[in-house]
Amino acid sequence: LPILKWILGDTIVPLAVTVGLLTQFLAVLYIVLSSWGKQRTLLTLVVVATLTWSAEAIGSTTGFPFGAYEYTDSLQPQLAHVPLVIPIAWFMMLSPAWAIAQTIVGVANMRTGKGFLLYIIISGLALTVWDLFLDPQMVLWGFWKWENPQGYFGIPFVNFFGWFLVAIIVTAIVRPQRLPVVPLIAIY
């Protein structure tokens, strides 16, 4: 991306980010599809996309659970002022977060009782940690803006609570099955 910006200017950033995101999404989709099959993968993708798009639509309208922000017009297309690549990005990073949690909790413990509770918490933390890297870049590139920029590189701390909350809710609903951890952790 820095080389593309140097050669073509700042106007290439939205396209380059979108292409990079879609490439990473396709890699994650292929890994999950190879492990779970078409039906489970498609159902999971639909659930993740629906829940996360809804959270982003509610969040950018009300400020809950991420804080007061809004998307700019940089990422297109959009539905209800939420770029359609956003739910794809959630799926792209939730799957590696699930792989990290699976590695820590263990396959035998990840779907029942206290092990499942630990699994969803670690998944949420893994995704939230990733957002510590993501959000400052996206704000810098003008994809969204905060009403009251403060906290971590201008990102309100409540945003990270929102990521954690949405990630654990989606994980609890999806109840992910065993995933191949090596390729997903490499993507993470």
Side-chain angles (χ1 to χ4, degrees):
L1 185 60
I3 293 170
L4 288 173
K5 278 181 63 175
W6 178 63
I7 295 170
L8 301 171
D10 288 338
T11 57
I12 195 64
V13 172
L15 177 61
V17 167
T18 300
V19 169
L21 186 151
L22 291 174
T23 302
Q24 192 169 335
F25 164 75
L26 290 172
V28 169
L29 184 64
Y30 176 77
I31 294 164
V32 175
L33 188 61
S34 297
S35 181
W36 289 356
K38 289 178 187 175
Q39 185 175 1
R40 173 72 181 182
T41 302
L42 181 59
L43 177 62
T44 300
L45 178 57
V46 168
V47 168
V48 169
T50 301
L51 292 175
T52 59
W53 177 87
S54 298
E56 295 284 354
I58 291 167
S60 62
T61 303
T62 69
F64 178 80
F66 305 108
Y69 71 105
E70 67 178 348
Y71 286 101
T72 66
D73 292 332
S74 295
L75 295 173
Q76 293 292 331
Q78 296 186 359
L79 176 62
H81 207 57
V82 175
L84 294 180
V85 296
I86 298 300
I88 290 170
W90 275 89
F91 178 83
M92 175 195 74
M93 285 314 297
L94 263 171
S95 300
W98 294 335
I100 288 170
Q102 175 183 310
T103 301
I104 293 170
V105 173
V107 174
N109 299 320
M110 67 183 246
R111 295 192 47 92
T112 58
K114 290 181 184 177
F116 181 65
L117 181 59
L118 184 59
Y119 175 81
I120 64 171
I121 289 170
I122 293 171
S123 294
L125 288 173
L127 190 72
T128 303
V129 166
W130 179 74
D131 190 49
L132 292 170
F133 168 75
L134 170 81
D135 230 303
Q137 291 178 78
M138 299 298 116
V139 170
L140 178 68
W141 290 331
F143 295 144
W144 54 84
K145 57 186 175 183
W146 294 96
E147 184 177 295
N148 188 13
Q150 60 183 351
Y152 177 77
F153 292 96
I155 315 302
F157 291 111
V158 70
N159 174 64
F160 304 108
F161 166 76
W163 273 72
F164 178 73
L165 179 65
V166 172
I168 64 172
I169 289 170
V170 172
T171 301
I173 291 169
V174 170
R175 299 188 66 87
Q177 298 175 348
R178 181 182 187 159
L179 287 162
V181 296
V182 172
L184 289 172
I185 289 176
I187 288 172
Y188 183 85

